[in-house]
Amino acid sequence: MSGNIRLLSDTLAAAKAERRSALIAYLPAGFPTVDGGIAAIRAVLDGGADIVEVGLPHSDPVLDGPVIQTADDIALRGGVKIADVMRTVREAYAATGKPVLVMTYWNPIDRYGVERFTAELAEAGGAGCILPDLPVQESALWREHAEKHGLATVFVVAPSSRDERLAAITAAGSGFVYAASLMGVTGTRESVGAQAQDLVRRTRATTGLPVCVGLGVSNAAQAAEVAGFADGVIVGSAFVKRILDAEDEAAALAAVRALAGELAEGVRGAA
């Protein structure tokens, strides 16, 4: 079975045709439980997100800040497995028909097996993977299997990436490019800053892929700001925090659905 890279590309193109950015949400699988995580992802997609990234919880993250690390720790202590991540992808896609990616560090895939992981992700209806710590020069095996199974390979670029490095990264990627808005880890910020706009400009000079910005966006005004120059706006920590702060599951689902709606208005310039 082939994965859903075409659905991902079509979704980003549809947002562009509407003269807006796509809203891309992130939530870890297994948080606060596997079933609760699936419900939260469905709520975010139903609330207005165009695309969702399902995080594969990892004990040694390099990109995730304290909020997402807290959620990952809850998921890991709950015993989340890769099978649960695949189930999350399958149920989110089946329920909404929207593109679902997995965001993961390389070690879990390497231990699980690249062919096994890509085949199962495609079978679940996944659209691809975001791989923040896989060096492009070491990615040939992954890309071979991802392409065979119809999955996108999304690499991360940062403000520190030089132009020749940007060109190498974007040439190897597919689906879209994840532009980290600043140096550091995930988390809500007071402002996203001019660094992100410059990074998007430099990245676009190397590729025709959509460029989506993450790290720091937490409200509709920031989403509107980033939507002014990026093809997609990625929000993670703000959704996770809403769940952590909620009194119970019903309140958590209402909170993330409401935030998705606010951010969806933001990417449409209605903040």
Side-chain angles (χ1 to χ4, degrees):
M1 180 175 176
S2 183
N4 273 313
I5 187 173
R6 175 60 64 86
L7 175 63
L8 175 65
S9 298
D10 288 349
T11 299
L12 288 162
K16 184 176 182 179
E18 294 174 13
R19 298 177 180 273
R20 67 173 179 89
S21 287
L23 175 59
I24 305 174
Y26 167 95
L27 279 171
F31 168 71
T33 63
V34 175
D35 288 342
I38 292 168
I41 287 167
R42 288 183 58 175
V44 164
L45 289 168
D46 290 342
D50 299 291
I51 299 163
V52 72
E53 303 171 7
V54 175
L56 196 162
H58 190 52
S59 58
D60 188 26
V62 295
L63 187 70
D64 300 313
V67 172
I68 291 175
Q69 284 186 37
T70 298
D72 279 2
D73 183 58
I74 290 168
L76 290 168
R77 283 191 283 113
V80 69
K81 300 287 192 292
I82 288 180
D84 300 312
V85 177
M86 297 299 179
R87 179 187 156 209
T88 300
V89 172
R90 179 180 293 106
E91 294 196 18
Y93 170 64
T96 66
K98 292 184 176 182
V100 183
L101 300 110
V102 169
M103 185 164 184
T104 179
Y105 298 101
W106 179 245
N107 182 258
I109 295 177
D110 191 41
R111 294 187 62 174
Y112 197 72
V114 177
E115 169 59 22
R116 181 185 178 194
F117 190 94
T118 52
E120 290 183 7
L121 182 56
E123 188 277 329
C129 260
I130 301 163
L131 300 159
D133 68 339
L134 177 63
V136 169
Q137 63 270 26
E138 298 175 18
S139 67
L141 178 65
W142 164 266
R143 288 187 285 123
E144 174 191 341
H145 288 288
E147 187 173 346
K148 179 173 77 171
H149 289 291
L151 299 168
T153 297
V154 179
F155 289 115
V156 178
V157 298
S160 61
S161 302
R162 296 186 176 182
D163 291 349
E164 59 269 28
R165 178 69 177 162
L166 288 176
I169 292 171
T170 59
S174 57
F176 64 91
V177 182
Y178 186 126
S181 65
L182 41 78
M183 301 304 294
V185 295
T186 60
T188 61
R189 303 293 200 293
E190 290 300 316
S191 64
V192 179
Q195 270 191 327
Q197 189 165 358
D198 180 63
L199 178 58
V200 170
R201 178 190 60 77
R202 292 195 298 118
T203 304
R204 280 185 173 150
T206 72
T207 183
L209 289 173
V211 183
C212 304
V213 170
L215 272 69
V217 176
S218 62
N219 58 51
Q222 290 174 335
E225 177 190 355
V226 174
F229 58 83
D231 299 295
V233 179
I234 303 168
V235 181
S237 295
F239 283 115
V240 172
K241 192 170 188 307
R242 292 284 179 106
I243 296 173
L244 289 170
D245 290 346
E247 294 180 0
D248 53 36
E249 183 175 342
L253 296 180
V256 295
R257 186 180 292 109
L259 178 59
E262 294 163 16
L263 293 166
E265 289 185 4
V267 300
R268 288 166 172 81

